[in-house]
Amino acid sequence: MQKEPVLLDLKSVPHIVGPGALEQAATCFSGYAKVFVLVDENVEKFCLSLFQEKLPDIRFAGIIRTKSGELNKNIHSASVIWEQLTHFKAERDSLLINLGGGVISDIGGFTAATFKRGMDFINIPTTLLGQVDAAIGSKTGIDFKEFKNQVGIFADPKAVIIDPVFLDTLDQKQLQSGFAEMLKYALIMDVPLWKMMNMRYFDAMKPDLNQMIIRAVSDKISIVEKDKRESGLRKVLNFGHTVGHALETLFLKADAPVTHGEAVAAGMICATRISSQWPGFDCHSPELIYEMVDRNFPRLVFSVEDIPEIMRLMQHDKKVKAGEIHFTLLSKLGSAVPDIVVSEEKVEESLRFYLRNQ
Ligand SMILES: NC(=O)c1ccc[n+]([C@@H]2O[C@H](COP(=O)([O-])OP(=O)(O)OC[C@H]3O[C@@H](n4cnc5c(N)ncnc54)[C@H](O)[C@@H]3O)[C@@H](O)[C@H]2O)c1
Ligand SMILES: [Zn+2]
């Protein structure tokens, strides 16, 4: 069992990962005139005092507050954050600590990178999704109008500190959501991680979770260091997300939101189905993948009548270029190919397959 944190570098950005990471990170916070911490109300309740307990020497010049949830990842919240930084007289030599889930690291990174033309920030993710995905890779931003991540900037954090101690207060649904991204890494690039998962329920994997987090983090780092700006390789991380994002929006619009992970899990079934009918596919058992997803995620409830709306939503996605839908497909278990053009008929068939094979 993993007991010590490990240090992984993404270019020159240290990523300290594992139990005890927080305590080992003390030096990352030194040398700043003022240190601020950004939290939402849940993080303030569940994580802030733990953070202060572990690092009692850090004196905050101010606690910056924003409202939790995707619906608040917007320009209004960004403006409220800039107001608070202005109020506390933050300067370019100040530091912002983004303590929270992916919403916090996205909006916190964006507001820090633009405040007075850029102040330093450090990400301390407190959700599993944040730890294995959102806090890593320098993408920051906010949603604008109805479009996700429409406005943003690539900006490097000074450090990323990933300590599983925060996960104890996270509810099961949020943990599962992060798990979907870990399963994605296993399928696209990490056979040993797939083997570690061993066709188990997520609950049964918990003793191995720290080890699995370290693998997932190094998987993401290895992709981002080769292609930070997503000109090619980084697109493999979109596996399951073309259909997944459309489903996420469908359910959000119906006022019955599902987690990002639940939507991506459904998207991975569809993308695996499309892969299995693609000539480049060399895997004899896509059924194992369906089974693993089903073991951990309930099937989303929608009907054949929703398919035209799902297809319409997909047209708004960044992965659609000149009307063509681009998918990351599996070439085999543990290996993926980005940017494959897939016909609308094939996508629709994969959705019908999802509904039929439950
Ligand atoms: N920048 C990227 O590369 C990237 C990648 C993936 C996802 N994202 C973004 O990440 C966001 C989703 O992230 P998320 O799933 O972490 O959502 P989130 O930040 O909304 O967190 C989920 C919920 O958990 C609460 N919470 C956070 N930590 C907690 C803890 N330790 N205990 C109890 N409650 C806690 C939050 O207040 C929130 O209510 C989306 O906006 C997505 O676009 C960004
Ligand atoms: Zn995702």
Side-chain angles (χ1 to χ4, degrees):
M1 205 193 282
Q2 186 70 29
K3 290 255 163 43
E4 291 283 308
V6 298
L7 176 65
L8 304 166
D9 275 333
L10 173 48
K11 306 285 183 194
S12 54
V13 181
H15 288 59
I16 307 174
V17 196
L22 257 186
E23 289 93 329
Q24 288 214 352
T27 52
C28 302
F29 307 99
S30 58
Y32 289 98
K34 290 180 176 173
V35 177
F36 299 93
V37 62
L38 174 68
V39 290
D40 64 32
E41 68 282 3
N42 300 318
V43 174
E44 181 164 14
K45 182 169 166 199
F46 294 114
C47 309
L48 190 58
S49 53
L50 184 64
F51 175 81
Q52 287 174 312
E53 245 168 60
K54 301 261 176 193
L55 291 165
D57 294 339
I58 299 182
R59 297 268 166 268
F60 294 128
I63 295 173
I64 314 286
R65 294 179 173 90
T66 187
K67 285 191 195 139
S68 69
E70 186 70 26
L71 289 174
N72 292 306
K73 199 178 94 176
N74 57 27
I75 191 69
H76 173 72
S77 304
S79 160
V80 173
I81 293 171
W82 287 320
E83 265 170 35
Q84 295 174 77
L85 289 169
T86 305
H87 169 80
F88 287 121
K89 299 192 168 49
E91 294 294 338
R92 260 194 224 157
D93 58 1
S94 303
L95 172 74
L96 182 68
I97 297 171
N98 296 322
L99 182 68
V103 167
I104 292 286
S105 50
D106 272 9
I107 197 169
F110 173 68
T111 47
T114 46
F115 186 77
K116 297 204 174 179
R117 299 202 174 86
M119 61 187 273
D120 286 355
F121 64 96
I122 285 178
N123 288 339
I124 306 187
T126 61
T127 61
L128 185 56
L129 189 115
Q131 298 199 339
V132 299
D133 194 358
I136 308 160
S138 306
K139 281 187 183 176
T140 75
I142 53 173
D143 304 335
F144 185 65
K145 307 281 180 194
E146 69 269 44
F147 304 112
K148 234 176 111 73
N149 305 324
Q150 181 79 344
V151 177
I153 182 169
F154 283 94
D156 295 337
K158 283 290 152 190
V160 181
I161 295 147
I162 298 172
D163 196 320
V165 71
F166 291 115
L167 302 180
D168 292 347
T169 54
L170 203 60
D171 65 36
Q172 183 71 10
K173 226 175 157 50
Q174 294 298 339
L175 278 171
Q176 296 273 116
S177 184
F179 173 68
E181 300 289 353
M182 298 175 98
L183 180 56
K184 177 191 78 180
Y185 294 121
L187 295 177
I188 62 170
M189 63 188 293
D190 194 342
V191 173
L193 181 58
W194 170 262
K195 288 189 176 148
M196 247 176 175
M197 292 175 175
N198 194 20
M199 298 303 286
R200 286 179 288 175
Y201 289 103
F202 178 62
D203 271 351
M205 290 177 226
K206 283 193 178 153
D208 300 324
L209 191 59
N210 293 338
Q211 204 60 51
M212 287 164 58
I213 291 173
I214 292 170
R215 279 211 80 89
V217 171
S218 48
D219 287 340
K220 177 139 188 196
I221 286 178
S222 75
I223 298 274
V224 175
E225 71 187 350
K226 293 188 198 100
D227 176 26
K228 174 164 128 181
R229 299 188 77 90
E230 202 169 306
S231 41
L233 179 68
R234 188 168 178 169
K235 292 181 187 159
V236 295
L237 298 175
N238 293 333
F239 180 69
H241 284 61
T242 315
V243 169
H245 276 154
L247 289 170
E248 205 174 351
T249 312
L250 181 83
F251 282 87
L252 192 65
K253 284 185 149 188
D255 235 359
V258 295
T259 62
H260 179 68
E262 284 167 338
V264 168
M268 290 194 290
I269 291 194
C270 294
T272 303
R273 170 68 175 179
I274 298 168
S275 304
S276 72
Q277 298 178 327
W278 173 56
F281 189 68
D282 182 23
C283 166
H284 301 297
S285 46
E287 289 75 22
L288 278 183
I289 299 175
Y290 307 138
E291 200 183 318
M292 182 62 178
V293 176
D294 282 334
R295 194 159 282 191
N296 282 287
F297 297 92
R299 290 284 176 121
L300 300 181
V301 181
F302 62 95
S303 74
V304 175
E305 281 77 55
D306 294 315
I307 291 180
E309 174 64 1
I310 296 168
M311 298 306 295
R312 197 190 66 75
L313 291 169
M314 228 174 282
Q315 292 297 331
H316 285 291
D317 202 285
K318 296 188 194 75
K319 293 174 273 300
V320 173
K321 281 179 257 161
E324 287 181 327
I325 310 176
H326 290 242
F327 268 75
T328 289
L329 296 181
L330 296 180
S331 47
K332 59 181 182 197
L333 195 106
S335 174
V337 184
D339 247 347
I340 309 283
V341 176
V342 173
S343 69
E344 286 201 15
E345 291 71 35
K346 289 228 160 71
V347 182
E348 287 169 5
E349 194 281 333
S350 75
L351 286 160
R352 284 195 299 273
F353 171 83
Y354 179 82
L355 292 172
R356 200 170 56 234
N357 286 273
Q358 320 218 350

